[in-house]
Amino acid sequence: MIDFRYHLVSIIAVFFALAAGIVLGAGPLGDTVDDTLAEQTSSLRDENRDLRQQLEDTERDTAYQQAFLEEVTPRLVTGQLEGEYIGVIALPGADEETVTAVRDTLVQAGATADLTVRIEPTWTDPDSEPTLDELATELVTSGTELPADGGGYARGAAVLAAALMAPPTEAGASHETIDTATVTAFEESDLITLEQDASVAPSMAVLVAGNVSGDDAEDRLDRLATLVGGIDAADAGTVVAGPASTAEDGLLRTIRDNGDLAEVVSTVDSVDLPSGRAAVVFALSEQAGGGSGQYGVVGETDGALPPVPEEPGASVTDEPTEEGSP
């Protein structure tokens, strides 16, 4: 059995250890610890100062590049879309300022961009399919073929596209007017909003994508991709543009992963930047010549932007003459 002397010795040993620690900490070991902490603090302070300076330099360089591109872009795109009628379609989640900037860039390029339509998030709701199917059945006009596959989403997309877009012709836009009755019916069903009206139906379209979230995001993106396909089937060229995030896990990724759709629809994944909006202009020019491509900075693309026509308004797919002029 452990007696009192054992406890006494243990207590004395603990006090000796504490006393030794205090003496050593206040003596040579204390000086070493203090010096080490001081050196580490100084090093961290210097590193923090360097990182802050790097951040300030990066922000300054980015601001300069943005200002430069904003000044250069109008001159770069001027005349590239002269005579084209282009509709701007804002998809769910699209940033309003970006939509406005895209429209302004199209106008700078010489296009008529009077039509702006916003697709409401309700379009991709699961319970919207019967409504879209009913609208398609009631509003379909002669010359519009309802898809056999894709259900109400595909049928609704086909009828809306036919109401908004002018059919492609050899001479470009046919100068038809928009089917306002059909557009109004979709508006009254809270599926779209006509933000800017047009007297002439456009023959090409830019769809501005935004971020789509939620547990059913993949299903909603598939429904939007169906809408993109319907728009493209009714016009002479379609470009879908969004920020980089939409190419990582959004609509642009869905389109690029869909081989058939990516063959005919162009995408640009940096539309929130002046350089991306310039790429949209050149992608439309390429579409007008029958080409397509995937452009931007995310994943495997066909480059930062399409080939730039040598002359404003000349398609990059135009065959050169014997003299070499487009």
Side-chain angles (χ1 to χ4, degrees):
M1 185 174 181
I2 300 176
D3 58 15
F4 175 75
R5 286 178 298 176
Y6 179 85
H7 286 293
L8 181 61
V9 170
S10 299
I11 293 172
I12 293 172
V14 170
F15 276 108
F16 270 118
L18 289 173
I22 293 172
V23 170
L24 290 174
L29 286 182
D31 293 338
T32 301
V33 171
D34 290 343
D35 292 343
T36 300
L37 289 175
E39 290 176 1
Q40 291 177 345
T41 301
S42 177
S43 176
L44 290 173
R45 187 182 298 111
D46 292 341
E47 183 178 350
N48 185 52
R49 183 172 56 252
D50 291 342
L51 290 173
R52 188 184 300 111
Q53 185 61 51
Q54 292 176 23
L55 178 60
E56 291 175 356
D57 292 345
T58 299
E59 290 176 343
R60 182 197 61 219
D61 292 345
T62 300
Y64 169 77
Q65 292 172 5
Q66 290 281 59
F68 177 82
L69 288 171
E70 287 174 1
E71 290 293 329
V72 169
T73 297
R75 295 170 174 80
L76 184 64
V77 303
T78 295
Q80 296 293 341
L81 298 174
E82 195 69 42
E84 298 286 357
Y85 289 80
I86 301 173
V88 178
I89 301 176
L91 298 176
D95 178 70
E96 188 62 39
E97 291 185 2
T98 300
V99 173
T100 300
V102 167
R103 186 169 56 241
D104 291 345
T105 303
L106 295 176
V107 173
Q108 291 167 352
T112 299
D114 293 338
L115 176 69
T116 304
V117 176
R118 180 169 289 276
I119 305 297
E120 298 296 341
T122 51
W123 182 286
T124 61
D125 286 348
D127 56 0
S128 290
E129 185 169 20
T131 302
L132 286 165
D133 199 21
E134 183 178 351
L135 286 170
T137 302
E138 293 177 354
L139 300 171
V140 64
T141 58
S142 60
T144 300
E145 183 177 350
L146 294 179
D149 299 326
Y153 297 107
R155 291 158 63 86
V159 171
L160 178 63
L164 293 174
M165 309 303 298
T169 64
E170 291 183 1
S174 60
H175 300 289
E176 294 185 358
T177 57
I178 291 172
D179 183 350
T180 54
T182 296
V183 173
T184 299
F186 277 88
E187 273 198 290
E188 291 176 348
S189 298
D190 297 324
L191 294 167
I192 69 170
T193 299
L194 186 61
E195 295 188 347
Q196 187 168 310
D197 203 351
S199 58
V200 176
S203 59
M204 303 181 75
V206 176
L207 289 85
V208 183
N211 294 314
V212 176
S213 59
D215 295 337
D216 61 344
E218 290 295 330
D219 292 334
R220 292 181 181 271
L221 291 171
D222 287 338
R223 293 161 191 158
L224 288 176
T226 298
L227 173 61
V228 171
I231 297 291
D232 183 70
D235 66 17
T238 304
V239 175
V240 183
S245 57
T246 60
E248 294 168 351
D249 56 4
L251 181 59
L252 268 64
R253 187 211 63 190
T254 301
I255 293 172
R256 291 173 177 179
D257 287 347
N258 184 327
D260 293 338
L261 196 55
E263 283 290 325
V264 293
V265 173
S266 297
T267 63
V268 176
D269 64 31
S270 52
V271 74
D272 49 335
L273 302 174
S275 55
R277 293 189 286 275
V280 168
V281 169
F282 297 122
L284 285 166
S285 179
E286 183 181 47
Q287 282 276 326
S292 65
Q294 317 307 317
Y295 304 105
V297 297
V298 178
E300 295 183 5
T301 66
D302 296 315
L305 74 168
V308 178
E310 293 184 4
E311 294 182 8
S315 169
V316 294
T317 58
D318 287 347
E319 292 293 336
T321 64
E322 291 181 1
E323 290 77 13
S325 60

